[in-house]
Amino acid sequence: MDQLFTEAIPVIAAIEEAGYEAYFVGGSVRDSLTGRLSNDVDIATSATPDEVKAIFPKTVDVGIAHGTILVLHESGNYEVTTFRTESGYSDFRRPDEVNFVRSLREDLQRRDFTMNAIAMDRKGKLIDPFGGKEAIQKKEIVTVGNPDERFTEDGLRMMRAIRFVSQLSFKLNLDTYASLKKHVHLMEHISVERILVEFEKLLLGVERKKSMELVVDSYLYDYLPGFKSYKSQLERVGTYSIEELKNIEELWGFLLVLLDIENIESFLRNWKMPMKNIRFIQSVVRLVKQDPSFLQDKFLLFKEGEKAAVSAASVRAVLENTNVKNAINTVKETYKNLIIKSMSELALTGHDLLAWTSDRKPGPWVKEAMDGALQVVLTGKVANDKVAIKEWLNTCNLM
């Protein structure tokens, strides 16, 4: 048993000593069977939230309406959730009614896929009423029970199914996939924020190409913000070595260039993406599209920074089918050889400019002068020396 589980055993033991059942459930059990590392474990119990709170001195009500209590234990913090059943998914995402039950089987029966409907006791014994271990051995994603029912309960499960294909290198069960295609229209009920989380996990998975093929084949792309008109471009994703792209910003940059999206900010805002992420992705795309290469523009390389430049080089190499490692090394070497790498290294400040021109007020001319000085220093036309820069500014009438 993994250390992650053994550290949590005292929590399960305490619940059992109080007269209730408790098991490890969900993704952590699945991951242990597939050899993947988990970040945390989830515990399910026959004890109600109030009963759980009575057992442990320190708890937090993190999701008490759905039966979840965070137990603050000396061995760690653990989410403990009461066995429950769910019904009435009128918004195709959340249950209208949650009922606490004492049956582990009933709790496992409400879950999405058989591989996620396995429980494990504190001795490592598996409770697997729906054949999840067999599905894992076959590397197959199968819904618990009728796939039509599972997908109409929660439309996001369709996105999760394809995401698991990417992350686990599993295949979709034929009946499960047929049902997914039949109900893909239910994706219109899912919030963009939830879609973004699943889509980015999909893009980062080892089988991202296969998953993108499924996104297109199932017409799920119709329900991804802004993607509906780009079927032919999305069909070409698998022809590129996108497995060479190592972070989500690079993958977004690749997609935006492939789809030839002009207004990147507007496109990504529709995905409800944080502005910090949008700005960085914009930098990556701007560098990818720079012609001639941004490596010939030291001012641009300086402004956008090494991280964005490395990502842009990776994306461009994938799009041009050239060696990604060589492209990255070239960027790093070019950046390393920049005369200065931050504005603090420039032998000129805005205060210098204002001190030299006491008759002028602060304004756009300060930025123009600073950028001009930065450019000539980066290109080696003027030494990074205050006197030399002042002389050049006077010659160019920039102050």
Side-chain angles (χ1 to χ4, degrees):
M1 187 180 292
D2 297 343
Q3 182 179 350
L4 202 63
F5 295 108
T6 57
E7 290 176 347
I9 285 176
V11 174
I12 287 185
I15 296 172
E16 290 180 341
E17 287 168 8
Y20 308 101
E21 295 178 39
Y23 304 90
F24 298 112
V25 293
S28 58
V29 178
R30 178 200 68 229
D31 287 345
S32 71
L33 294 174
T34 58
R36 289 167 56 89
L37 294 176
S38 290
N39 295 322
D40 52 28
V41 297
D42 291 321
I43 296 170
T45 179
S46 61
T48 65
D50 286 339
E51 290 166 343
V52 172
K53 290 164 71 173
I55 297 169
F56 300 98
K58 295 181 180 180
T59 62
V60 179
D61 296 354
V62 293
I64 195 166
H66 291 86
T68 301
I69 299 294
L70 182 68
V71 172
L72 309 181
H73 195 267
E74 60 184 20
S75 61
N77 300 334
Y78 302 97
E79 286 194 356
V80 178
T81 303
T82 302
F83 299 157
R84 67 180 193 253
T85 59
E86 301 171 344
S87 59
Y89 299 81
S90 58
D91 66 353
F92 305 100
R93 177 68 187 100
R94 301 173 195 81
D96 297 331
E97 187 175 344
V98 173
N99 293 303
F100 300 142
V101 295
R102 299 291 188 181
S103 166
L104 172 63
R105 182 186 176 90
E106 286 186 64
D107 181 79
L108 296 177
Q109 191 169 349
R110 70 176 172 80
R111 296 173 185 264
D112 52 6
F113 307 111
T114 59
M115 63 182 182
N116 295 331
I118 307 172
M120 183 172 70
D121 69 15
R122 62 187 171 111
K123 294 181 180 179
K125 179 184 175 182
L126 297 179
I127 298 88
D128 180 21
F130 304 106
K133 185 177 179 181
E134 181 183 359
I136 288 172
Q137 291 170 340
K138 290 181 177 180
K139 295 189 173 184
E140 191 173 39
I141 298 166
V142 189
T143 57
V144 176
N146 188 322
D148 291 344
E149 292 179 6
R150 297 295 81 76
F151 290 139
T152 52
E153 287 169 350
D154 181 356
L156 188 66
R157 287 172 173 168
M158 294 181 284
M159 194 82 194
R160 282 169 54 82
I162 297 179
R163 184 254 288 184
F164 282 129
V165 170
S166 182
Q167 285 187 322
L168 302 177
S169 298
F170 281 18
K171 63 181 181 295
L172 282 169
N173 166 270
L174 292 178
D175 290 339
T176 297
Y177 187 46
S179 177
L180 186 156
K181 291 196 285 187
K182 175 180 168 184
H183 296 288
V184 71
H185 63 279
L186 297 177
M187 284 292 297
E188 66 186 6
H189 299 285
I190 308 303
S191 71
V192 173
E193 292 88 348
R194 299 304 298 271
I195 292 174
L196 175 63
V197 170
E198 295 296 331
F199 186 61
E200 291 193 334
K201 288 179 180 179
L202 180 159
L203 288 177
L204 290 169
V206 292
E207 289 291 342
R208 59 191 72 169
K209 285 185 179 181
K210 176 61 178 175
S211 293
M212 285 302 295
E213 288 176 11
L214 293 172
V215 165
V216 175
D217 180 68
S218 66
Y219 283 85
L220 191 148
Y221 74 94
D222 272 359
Y223 304 93
L224 303 182
F227 278 22
K228 190 169 185 176
S229 302
Y230 296 98
K231 182 180 181 182
S232 61
Q233 292 91 332
L234 292 170
E235 286 176 330
R236 292 182 4 234
V237 168
T239 65
Y240 294 93
S241 300
I242 58 171
E243 64 278 1
E244 298 276 0
L245 301 175
K246 303 305 181 186
N247 59 58
I248 195 62
E249 293 85 5
E250 292 174 2
L251 287 154
W252 272 113
F254 165 82
L255 287 173
L256 292 165
V257 175
L258 185 68
L259 273 53
D260 196 22
I261 302 299
E262 292 185 8
N263 192 333
I264 292 171
E265 180 176 334
S266 176
F267 186 92
L268 295 180
R269 275 181 177 272
N270 287 333
W271 278 85
K272 305 294 180 68
M273 191 179 290
M275 279 308 301
K276 180 182 177 182
N277 300 35
I278 292 175
R279 293 287 180 246
F280 185 80
I281 294 167
Q282 283 180 306
S283 293
V284 172
V285 174
R286 189 159 46 241
L287 290 172
V288 171
K289 290 186 173 183
Q290 182 71 13
D291 189 25
S293 169
F294 63 85
L295 292 175
Q296 298 178 38
D297 189 336
K298 294 180 179 179
F299 180 75
L300 182 61
L301 178 59
F302 174 93
K303 283 289 189 182
E304 302 292 3
E306 183 180 23
K307 184 181 177 183
V310 166
S311 290
S314 300
V315 172
R316 190 159 181 165
V318 167
L319 288 164
E320 295 175 351
N321 195 28
T322 56
N323 190 285
V324 173
K325 288 184 179 178
N326 289 346
I328 291 173
N329 289 337
T330 300
V331 168
K332 288 186 174 180
E333 188 64 26
T334 304
Y335 190 83
K336 179 182 175 182
N337 291 330
L338 287 179
I339 294 171
I340 60 172
K341 298 176 180 64
S342 70
M343 286 301 293
S344 63
E345 296 177 25
L346 182 66
L348 175 71
T349 67
H351 292 298
D352 292 329
L353 289 170
L354 295 173
W356 295 337
T357 56
S358 56
D359 59 326
R360 298 191 69 178
K361 294 181 179 180
W365 71 271
V366 175
K367 183 180 185 305
E368 184 182 351
M370 291 292 291
D371 283 347
L374 175 62
Q375 198 145 15
V376 292
V377 168
L378 285 169
T379 55
K381 294 177 181 178
V382 175
N384 188 28
D385 173 81
K386 198 180 296 286
V387 174
I389 293 173
K390 183 178 182 181
E391 183 179 336
W392 178 81
L393 289 168
N394 279 322
T395 302
C396 297
N397 295 317
L398 286 175
M399 69 174 192

